[in-house]
Amino acid sequence: VQLVESGGGLVQPGGSLRLSCAASGFVFDDYAIGWFRQAPEKDREAVLCISSREGSTTYLDSVKGRFTISSDNAKNTVYLQMNSLKPEDTAIYYCAARPRGLTSCHDWDRFYDYWGQGTQVTVSS
């Protein structure tokens, strides 16, 4: 199983980015895939998750109304749309997948077996 994130970069405050998480070696039927982020000198935190059975879950109050998660099963890809970005959103963003068949989202990173390499998001003027 391989997860590859893309779409990160430098954006001004108030701007938007869409991150992609492309999965290979992974049967895209029953799944739970989450987005996590880690800012410098901070712990990794769960942002959102999408489940093939339960829909999406937002874990961070600070991103509610600004970030959304979606999936394209035909492309084996999960997206993180980030709008109205703020400097405090600056972090490395990771996607992670739970083992196949485990379709419940969770905010504890230990429940995810597969991780991408991360993509840097920097929000700065």
Side-chain angles (χ1 to χ4, degrees), residues 17-57:
L17 283 175
R18 189 178 77 159
L19 305 184
S20 299
C21 173
S24 60
F26 185 87
V27 180
F28 225 74
D29 46 16
D30 287 341
Y31 61 84
I33 295 177
W35 283 98
F36 292 75
R37 70 184 186 185
Q38 187 167 21
E41 300 181 356
K42 292 188 177 181
D43 292 335
R44 185 162 57 190
E45 58 186 357
V47 183
L48 295 100
C49 178
I50 188 165
S51 161
S52 58
R53 297 192 180 187
E54 300 174 354
S56 63
T57 303

Side-chain angles (χ1 to χ4, degrees), residues 64-118:
K64 287 182 178 178
R66 300 190 297 122
F67 290 12
T68 56
I69 190 170
S70 62
S71 64
D72 185 334
N73 291 359
K75 295 183 178 180
N76 281 19
T77 301
V78 170
Y79 302 99
L80 178 62
Q81 178 67 45
M82 305 186 295
N83 299 326
S84 302
L85 282 160
K86 303 176 181 180
E88 51 265 42
D89 294 318
T90 295
I92 300 174
Y93 284 72
Y94 300 90
C95 65
R98 298 201 67 194
R100 184 187 180 193
L102 298 181
T103 57
S104 294
C105 284
H106 204 285
D107 61 352
W108 197 10
D109 56 7
R110 292 189 180 186
F111 282 87
Y112 295 80
D113 281 10
Y114 309 106
W115 290 81
Q117 81 289 351

